[in-house]
Amino acid sequence: MSVLEKISSEEIISLENKYGAHNYHPLPVVLSRGEGVYVWDVEGKKYYDFLSAYSAVNQGHCHPKIIGAMVQQAQTLTLTSRAFYNDKLGVYEEYITKYFGFDKVLPMNTGAEAVETALKLCRKWAYEKKGIHENEAQIIVCDGNFHGRTTTIISFSNDENARKNFGPYTAGFIKIPYDDIEALENVLKSSKNIAGFLVEPIQGEAGVYTPAEDYLAKAKALCEANNVLFIADEVQTGIARTGSILAVCGNCTCENACEKQSTYVAPDILILGKALSGGAYPVSAVLANDHIMNVIKPGQHGSTFGGNPIAGAVAIAALDVVNDENLSQNARRLGKIFREKIGEFVKTSNITTLVRGKGLLNAIVINDTEESDTAWNICMALRDNGLLAKPTHGNIIRFAPPLVMNEEQLLDCISIIINTLKQFEK
Ligand SMILES: *Cc1c(COP(=O)(O)O)cnc(C)c1O
């Protein structure tokens, strides 16, 4: 332990370089501790976390209630596989289905696995309920999508980095522009073999693209009219991030997803991950009603770790925290302040062109090309000034702090961001 304690950031980075696959390009900061909205590097420097592990740590780092539930369950029973029942899964399944207003849940571990599950579920439903001929089902996806990294999912990505030299690709997907109702209408008209429409309510990885106010409701209505499943990938937008429990809840800030709200756009299949565990453990979920979920029978899909007792205990605690601490309301209120203050700066600035987002999922666009390293350099300067964020797509910086942030901390962060951006004014 004494050897490990002395290891420096530089040494750890060189270890990763030498022994780890180079499938990421991290900002050079080595973190060893987290609490709430803060993280500390191995040298003891403290930072605001403005990425929240891509919105997995919405409840804040090492939330005592979530960690408490995890430790207690880890000391009791960790894994049985689904060959046997465990005493947590059913309790968790009742909890999460009531929370999000669905008949059933299929538990998985990562976001990509949950997306895969949703795609398989959609296809099986199409053959067995809708009556599409075998192997002919098509699923509509959007340009600029991010749904994970499996072979099937990257098959319908337009990110060359994610796709190139990983073929042959999985067939059965049609890509249309995002936030384009006419394109959706046309493709639905063009074929009888459409099974589903997979969409992110806000495109996070693409750079926090928020669609037109009525896009999701119109898309859902079109799907319904054509007997096509509306599949919402809320792995990043869900669990209070955008100022409501789900982004499909629209303007409702109550802490449950429900049909009672006129702004609620009910997905036929809902995909959750990331903050479902508050970042403590890989937990993902696919939710649907019986007429869809019941097409999957024993032996047809599964995962050794999916639905394990630690996952169940952690997810219940993580969702409880969202309620107990009013995280949706907080995200909504602080998000407004953030866009207002940063927006004022953007008006007077020539280094940024705009700020956009919803709740505490926001981004600024840097006034430079996608190929430039300006956004990267700004993130390095933010790091030096005590705030961690990462560029997405070259010239866009995403800002997504833990939702347990308070107003005073947010104002502190806003002044760090503005002062840093000022160093880059042209
Ligand atoms: C992160 C993400 C995924 C993939 O989740 P993993 O846990 O990384 O596999 C899928 N969809 C969206 C919208 C995401 O943001």
Side-chain angles (χ1 to χ4, degrees), residues 62-316:
C62 298
H63 194 289
K65 181 162 179 175
I66 300 171
I67 300 306
M70 183 162 83
V71 168
Q72 193 181 25
Q73 189 58 46
Q75 290 172 332
T76 312
L77 181 68
T78 59
L79 186 62
T80 60
S81 82
R82 298 287 301 276
F84 313 115
Y85 290 89
N86 73 66
D87 69 348
K88 287 292 170 301
L89 180 56
V91 177
Y92 163 57
E93 288 173 334
E94 179 183 22
Y95 183 94
I96 188 174
T97 51
K98 288 188 172 158
Y99 201 102
F100 292 105
F102 288 86
D103 293 340
K104 282 192 169 52
V105 62
L106 199 160
M108 297 296 280
N109 312 287
T110 66
E113 279 178 316
V115 172
E116 286 277 346
T117 301
L119 296 173
K120 287 173 74 178
L121 181 60
C122 178
R123 283 177 166 187
K124 207 154 191 298
W125 170 87
Y127 300 126
E128 296 176 9
K129 299 279 176 159
K130 182 163 173 171
I132 293 178
H133 290 297
E134 204 184 338
N135 294 332
E136 286 182 7
Q138 300 277 343
I139 294 175
I140 304 169
V141 298
C142 293
D143 287 331
N145 69 73
F146 182 83
H147 298 287
R149 299 295 198 167
T150 63
T151 313
T152 289
I153 292 170
I154 59 105
S155 293
F156 55 80
S157 165
N158 4 42
D159 180 349
E160 268 309 290
N161 254 333
R163 269 174 66 86
K164 194 164 183 218
N165 290 339
F166 292 118
Y169 304 113
T170 308
F173 298 95
I174 303 173
K175 237 178 288 166
I176 61 169
Y178 186 63
D179 194 17
D180 186 337
I181 277 297
E182 218 173 297
L184 179 62
E185 202 167 3
N186 289 337
V187 76
L188 286 170
K189 258 191 243 156
S190 73
S191 169
K192 288 268 161 277
N193 291 332
I194 311 285
F197 174 49
L198 171 65
V199 66
E200 298 159 83
I202 291 172
Q203 286 191 330
E205 292 309 300
V208 189
Y209 282 103
T210 40
E213 193 80 22
D214 58 356
Y215 174 62
L216 296 173
K218 283 188 172 164
K220 160 75 188 187
L222 280 174
C223 287
E224 213 168 285
N226 289 277
N227 195 23
V228 160
L229 300 184
F230 180 82
I231 308 168
D233 179 349
E234 293 240 24
V235 171
Q236 186 161 158
T237 52
I239 328 278
R241 171 54 59 186
T242 67
S244 43
I245 188 62
L246 296 173
V248 293
C249 289
N251 294 319
C252 176
T253 54
C254 81
E255 295 290 6
N256 285 85
C258 66
E259 307 265 359
K260 285 180 212 130
Q261 282 297 324
S262 59
T263 53
Y264 180 65
V265 179
D268 297 300
I269 302 178
L270 172 66
I271 306 165
L272 296 174
K274 293 196 170 117
L276 188 50
S277 71
Y281 198 78
V283 185
S284 67
V286 174
L287 292 131
N289 285 337
D290 282 338
H291 69 104
I292 296 167
M293 195 67 96
N294 285 343
V295 301
I296 291 195
K297 306 273 187 318
Q300 295 175 346
H301 187 63
S303 153
T304 302
F305 281 85
N308 73 76
I310 297 183
V314 164
I316 290 175

Side-chain angles (χ1 to χ4, degrees), residues 36-38 48-61 239-242 327 330-331 334-335 338 358-363 387-389 398-406 409-410 413-414 417:
V37 300
Y38 300 112
Y48 285 107
D49 179 359
F50 249 66
L51 183 64
S52 305
Y54 301 99
S55 296
V57 192
N58 288 0
Q59 297 88 335
H61 287 275
I239 328 278
R241 171 54 59 186
T242 67
L327 296 189
N330 198 49
L334 295 193
F338 184 84
K358 197 163 180 222
L360 281 175
L361 182 60
N362 295 291
L387 187 146
L388 297 178
R398 170 175 30 200
F399 289 120
L403 310 182
V404 293
M405 183 163 273
N406 64 38
Q409 291 164 336
L410 182 79
C413 292
I414 289 169
I417 291 167

